[in-house]
Amino acid sequence: MELARKVMQIQPSATLKISATAKQMMADGVDVINLGIGEPDYQTPDNIKQAAIDSIQNGQASFYTPATGLPELKQAISQRIMADHQHHYDLDQIVVTDGAKMALFTLFQVILNPNDEVLLPVPYWVSYSEQIKLAGGTPVEVGTDRQLRFTVADLEAQRTPKTKALVLNSPQNPSGLVYSRAELTAIVGWAESHAILVIADEIYEKLMYNGNQFTSVLELEGIDLDHVVLINGVSKAYSMTGWRIGYAAGPKAVMAKMGVVLGHAASNPAAVSQYAAIEAFGGDQTSVETMRQGFEARLNELYPLIASLPGFKLPAGKPAGAFYLFPDITEALRLTGYQDATAFVTAVLLEAHVGLVPGEAFGLPGHLRLSYATDMTSLREAHRRLQQFMTQKIAEQAN
């Protein structure tokens, strides 16, 4: 049977592929340290777990909810946004989805016509480009400088009459880069002037380190938010990856059509997860700060270790947010004789038993991503293995 052409052009998620391979090796008894997936190692906070348990015991979790989410959850999201960014969304401006990934997927389905173009500054999260293709659109890469930043001039160089949207991810996956208020004002202002929708993925907003400050697009002065859709969720800040709750917030007309699509696609997000998310957004936020401090401590210890590896360079400096490092390994490839980052990462997994993700998956060859969302003992051991791997491969090349 001939399969749909749009499906045949889609590549598997590199992060999930690496993680699946690592997990299979672990199941086979191999001692693998998997730094390839963006998943906090912390348990979901107890107050959130208890809210889920309560919803089961009192019978609330047994039934369908509205396709776009419980009104109580939308209210909790609206109040959290107001508390954090001083912007109000009405409930019909918010759509709850099965994870932030589903919010993005549904949004692309709603806004894109065949061959519409979406600007993706490099590097970008692996699923953006594939979701755009599935919606019939065309991802257009936007070049960045050595520090992985882009400007309005870079955007303008790629703009065409077909440009429909720009994905703006800050803090960024995979680099941890965070855009300043001035940078965001210029970027969003440029998009507004050309009637280009800004898709602001702020899923890592709570994970900022070493005194760096996060600015949401919602806080910018003089910006028309009719040209902005906010994407966020509970996965990262609240350590709830498995609960699968995300949301989109934006213009009512866009949210209404997203609701129509979601009604046919999934009926509704899991009720029990929605009740847990109400507590996440509306309950005690102490655990968010506790986990943030933990990630910060890991970053501060791991960063110099990775920067000291032969051929590893971090030209953008220490990341300001998220929980990833994205080193340039061009020199490491030369030293070890590997053709590209994919071959390098594969060898590291099979020989050193450390799971990483090649930069090719993020639109930037010659790099790799590693996550420090795991315990420090494992991170130190991963560094030791990488150091040993590099020493061995460099020696082999010398011979």
Side-chain angles (χ1 to χ4, degrees):
M1 182 177 65
E2 182 181 3
L3 299 179
R5 286 188 292 275
K6 64 181 181 181
V7 172
M8 296 305 294
Q9 67 175 333
I10 302 303
Q11 299 300 315
S13 168
T15 53
L16 295 181
K17 182 179 180 181
I18 289 288
S19 182
T21 303
K23 288 179 178 179
Q24 183 58 56
M25 291 174 65
M26 293 166 71
D28 293 339
V30 180
D31 178 20
V32 174
I33 300 174
N34 185 12
L35 307 183
I37 194 162
E39 181 172 46
D41 62 321
Y42 295 105
Q43 283 286 314
T44 300
D46 288 342
N47 62 310
I48 299 173
K49 292 181 184 177
Q50 189 59 51
I53 293 168
D54 290 346
S55 75
I56 294 170
Q57 291 181 336
N58 65 27
Q60 291 175 300
S62 299
F63 305 102
Y64 289 126
T65 76
T68 59
L70 289 162
E72 306 97 302
L73 176 52
K74 292 184 181 185
Q75 185 64 38
I77 292 169
S78 180
Q79 291 173 345
R80 175 50 48 200
I81 293 172
M82 175 58 75
D84 290 345
H85 306 302
Q86 297 74 56
H87 178 77
H88 174 74
Y89 279 111
D90 293 333
L91 300 196
D92 57 0
Q93 292 180 284
I94 298 171
V95 169
V96 181
T97 57
D98 296 290
K101 183 181 283 190
M102 189 63 174
L104 287 160
F105 180 89
T106 308
L107 177 62
F108 289 131
Q109 294 292 326
V110 166
I111 67 170
L112 295 181
N113 289 309
N115 301 317
D116 279 348
E117 295 176 351
V118 180
L119 300 179
L120 292 181
V122 176
Y124 49 80
W125 178 54
V126 296
S127 290
Y128 292 147
S129 60
E130 307 311 294
Q131 289 188 354
I132 291 165
K133 294 174 188 175
L134 280 170
T138 302
V140 176
E141 294 185 351
V142 176
T144 50
D145 63 19
R146 282 180 50 81
Q147 295 185 326
L148 306 182
R149 293 182 178 274
F150 69 95
T151 66
V152 166
D154 297 317
L155 295 171
E156 184 62 29
Q158 297 298 331
R159 183 176 66 86
T160 76
K162 296 180 180 179
T163 304
K164 190 72 168 286
L166 159 68
V167 178
L168 181 57
N169 181 206
S170 177
Q172 188 199 66
N173 176 5
S175 72
L177 178 150
V178 176
Y179 282 91
S180 70
R181 183 180 296 271
E183 289 171 318
L184 291 172
T185 299
I187 291 165
V188 178
W190 171 87
E192 181 184 332
S193 70
H194 296 291
I196 293 170
L197 182 71
V198 175
I199 302 170
D201 184 348
E202 299 184 354
I203 191 72
Y204 293 97
E205 65 163 319
K206 301 289 187 181
L207 302 179
M208 295 287 297
Y209 312 121
N210 298 309
N212 288 289
Q213 298 297 312
F214 171 74
T215 300
S216 171
V217 295
L218 304 181
E219 300 170 21
L220 303 178
E221 296 181 2
I223 297 299
D224 182 0
L225 291 179
D226 283 341
H227 292 278
V228 174
V229 173
L230 178 70
I231 303 292
N232 213 320
V234 299
S235 292
K236 312 303 182 181
Y238 299 98
S239 196
M240 294 176 67
T241 53
W243 297 81
R244 308 313 303 136
I245 293 292
Y247 68 83
K252 294 180 181 181
V254 177
M255 297 301 107
K257 287 302 182 184
M258 286 182 66
V260 172
V261 172
L262 289 165
H264 290 293
S267 292
N268 62 265
V272 65
S273 296
Q274 292 189 63
Y275 285 106
I278 291 171
E279 175 62 23
F281 288 120
D284 184 4
Q285 302 294 299
T286 303
S287 60
V288 176
E289 174 60 13
T290 299
M291 291 187 283
R292 187 205 65 79
Q293 290 179 8
F295 290 131
E296 180 177 89
R298 295 171 186 181
L299 168 63
N300 290 340
E301 182 169 344
L302 184 65
Y303 175 79
L305 296 178
I306 297 302
S308 70
L309 289 170
F312 279 58
K313 297 179 181 178
L314 289 148
K318 184 184 290 186
F323 41 57
Y324 309 104
L325 295 179
F326 193 63
D328 182 334
I329 60 164
T330 304
E331 179 64 12
L333 296 177
R334 187 190 69 79
L335 292 172
T336 56
Y338 287 100
Q339 183 176 1
D340 53 36
T342 299
F344 181 89
V345 163
T346 300
V348 168
L349 178 58
L350 296 179
E351 299 179 36
H353 303 156
V354 176
L356 307 166
V357 187
E360 284 85 348
F362 305 97
L364 199 58
H367 292 69
L368 61 80
R369 190 194 78 173
L370 62 87
S371 167
Y372 52 88
T374 191
D375 64 277
M376 200 62 232
T377 299
S378 296
L379 293 173
R380 293 187 191 109
E381 174 60 16
H383 167 260
R384 188 195 67 78
R385 294 181 187 185
L386 287 169
Q387 180 71 62
Q388 184 178 53
F389 177 86
M390 290 299 300
T391 299
Q392 177 184 337
K393 296 301 176 180
I394 292 171
E396 291 174 0
Q397 284 295 110
N399 295 330

